[in-house]
Amino acid sequence: MSVVRLKIPTKITLFGEHAVVYGVPAIATTLPVYISISGEKIGGGIIRINVGKSLQTPIYSVILSRDRISIEPDQDHMKKVLSYILTAIDVCEEYIGITQEVYGYSIAIDSPLPVSVGLGTSAAVSVGTVTLCLALNNQITDLENSKYDIAKLAWSVEKIVQGSASPMDTYTIALGGLRYIEPSAPMAHLIDIDYELPIVVGFTSRTHTTAELVRKVKELRERNEGLFKEILKIIGKIVEEAKKALINQDLEGLGMLMNMNHGILQSLGIVSIEHNIIAHMLKNVGALGVKTSGAGGGGAFVALAKSKESQERLATVAESLGAKIISRSICQKGVEILR
Ligand code: MEV
């Protein structure tokens, strides 16, 4: 049986993280930093998963029964990656209507990023595994036409594993490009821009998982629902203004909105001290805007430069402050099947 190979982009949120969990639209984009997943069908109803060393852990080769994960030595974050893969296979097989464990799968996964840095790696794993499972079971004739189905299935994987998740990460990664996310639909509308966005994307280490940070914001909401509603309204307004600024190539306006969004994330209690220092220093050397991106607690951040030329300076300063820079551009493509 033939091997299917996939290339899956990671992503950043430009505007509206956390608020998107409560139905507010957001803006996110895919990044040219890719997770690779390949796999084939094998017999015996087992699932064999090889996780590459560039996920920044030792190489594991584990054989799992369908309802139990057991690896030595115990690694919680590895168990999490494996949970996304196994849940994606379950969700996919249920969607297709496969009821018997006639076949198993041999899956290899690799990533240049550690898991849980806030760049959508778990969504990329979910989108990738769903696409792989559909392709191996001959359910994909035209990938473009299947992308909304893939996004929807991968979103349910995230909800099962994390407890709650907005559709933002999985829809952006499945479809690709700069997207305006309407979570209530859910829809991911392409924001078609014909210029290069001079961004610098990096990350610092993270202290909490996305699920923990989403819970923290939820607790804040429970303490003062009225005020929280007003904050959501302001984030919603920032997102709408940002969409216009992106379309009009108004980089100064966009930077200002990023700084505002960062300030609101700070008021929600999810911005780390390191990110505040980075934001402050990058603005000092000319960044138009800097913000925490994604769930926070450290993790990903995005800075907007005035021009291509000042991007290097921002990257150098961020690196001198201990950040790892991973991208200076966005990418247009979502999940791809490589032939
Ligand atoms: C995580 O990438 C972004 C959050 O808004 C959570 C979500 O959208 O599910 C914090």
Side-chain angles (χ1 to χ4, degrees):
M1 207 160 278
S2 60
V3 177
V4 171
R5 290 178 214 286
L6 305 171
K7 184 176 169 189
I8 311 115
T10 47
K11 65 139 271 287
I12 42 159
T13 311
L14 288 173
F15 295 95
E17 54 274 272
H18 285 287
V20 70
V21 174
Y22 301 92
V24 176
I27 298 174
T29 181
T30 39
L31 295 177
V33 179
Y34 302 96
I35 286 183
S36 59
I37 297 185
S38 60
E40 62 189 318
K41 269 184 164 178
I42 53 175
I46 60 162
I47 300 170
R48 179 180 293 127
I49 304 172
N50 278 282
V51 179
K53 72 170 181 299
S54 47
L55 267 162
Q56 305 203 352
T57 59
I59 297 177
Y60 291 92
S61 182
V62 283
I63 297 179
L64 309 164
S65 73
R66 293 216 168 204
D67 55 0
R68 209 169 59 87
I69 298 171
S70 167
I71 29 174
E72 294 291 333
D74 189 329
Q75 295 270 346
D76 280 350
H77 67 285
M78 282 307 301
K79 280 189 180 177
K80 250 185 88 190
V81 176
L82 298 171
S83 304
Y84 284 102
I85 297 173
L86 288 186
T87 307
I89 290 171
D90 283 348
V91 163
C92 224
E93 288 192 340
E94 196 187 324
Y95 170 79
I96 298 167
I98 298 172
T99 49
Q100 284 182 329
E101 294 174 8
V102 180
Y103 290 111
Y105 304 90
S106 174
I107 298 172
I109 174 164
D110 208 351
S111 160
L113 296 172
V115 283
S116 286
V117 287
L119 289 154
T121 39
S122 60
V125 169
S126 306
V127 167
T129 313
V130 164
T131 309
L132 182 75
C133 188
L134 289 178
L136 289 174
N137 288 296
N138 304 315
Q139 300 292 310
I140 298 180
T141 41
D142 175 356
L143 181 60
E144 283 313 310
N145 280 339
S146 302
K147 282 189 174 174
Y148 262 97
D149 288 338
I150 291 168
K152 195 172 171 195
L153 291 170
W155 180 30
S156 50
V157 172
E158 288 228 308
K159 285 187 282 188
I160 293 167
V161 178
Q162 291 169 202
S164 83
S166 82
M168 173 172 67
D169 291 10
T170 44
Y171 279 66
T172 302
I173 287 171
L175 294 150
L178 184 58
R179 297 270 163 182
Y180 173 86
I181 309 295
E182 222 183 311
S184 53
M187 284 291 287
H189 307 274
L190 185 68
I191 303 176
D192 204 2
I193 57 168
D194 59 0
Y195 60 93
E196 276 185 39
L197 205 55
I199 54 168
V200 174
V201 180
F203 67 88
T204 61
S205 64
R206 221 171 140 192
T207 45
H208 294 88
T209 64
T210 296
E212 284 163 355
L213 291 154
V214 167
R215 248 193 326 271
K216 190 174 173 189
V217 173
K218 194 168 166 235
E219 278 163 23
L220 202 79
R221 176 182 177 241
E222 279 157 11
R223 289 182 71 157
N224 196 333
E225 234 173 284
L227 205 54
F228 192 83
K229 241 182 174 170
E230 295 306 314
I231 290 177
L232 291 186
K233 268 193 214 160
I234 297 172
I235 296 176
K237 190 114 183 66
I238 289 175
V239 171
E240 296 311 314
E241 295 281 322
K243 188 176 157 198
K244 281 188 219 151
L246 279 163
I247 292 167
N248 297 330
Q249 202 176 345
D250 172 12
L251 295 188
E252 298 252 345
L254 200 63
M256 183 194 72
L257 293 163
M258 284 168 72
N259 293 333
M260 283 181 175
N261 200 160
H262 181 79
I264 294 173
L265 291 175
Q266 203 170 333
S267 74
L268 295 179
I270 57 92
V271 173
S272 69
I273 293 169
E274 289 82 0
H275 276 204
N276 271 335
I277 293 170
I278 289 169
H280 185 75
M281 297 301 273
L282 294 191
K283 278 186 267 180
N284 253 359
V285 293
L288 294 173
V290 189
K291 71 180 279 291
T292 286
S293 169
F301 65 88
V302 54
L304 183 68
K306 284 196 177 98
S307 61
K308 277 262 150 210
E309 293 72 50
S310 80
Q311 267 179 311
E312 277 320 305
R313 184 140 188 239
L314 299 186
T316 307
V317 172
E319 274 173 342
S320 74
L321 295 166
K324 193 161 166 40
I325 301 302
I326 52 127
S327 185
R328 290 168 176 76
S329 60
I330 69 170
C331 80
Q332 299 302 333
K333 286 191 175 166
V335 61
E336 283 178 85
I337 298 179
L338 308 174
R339 299 283 172 198

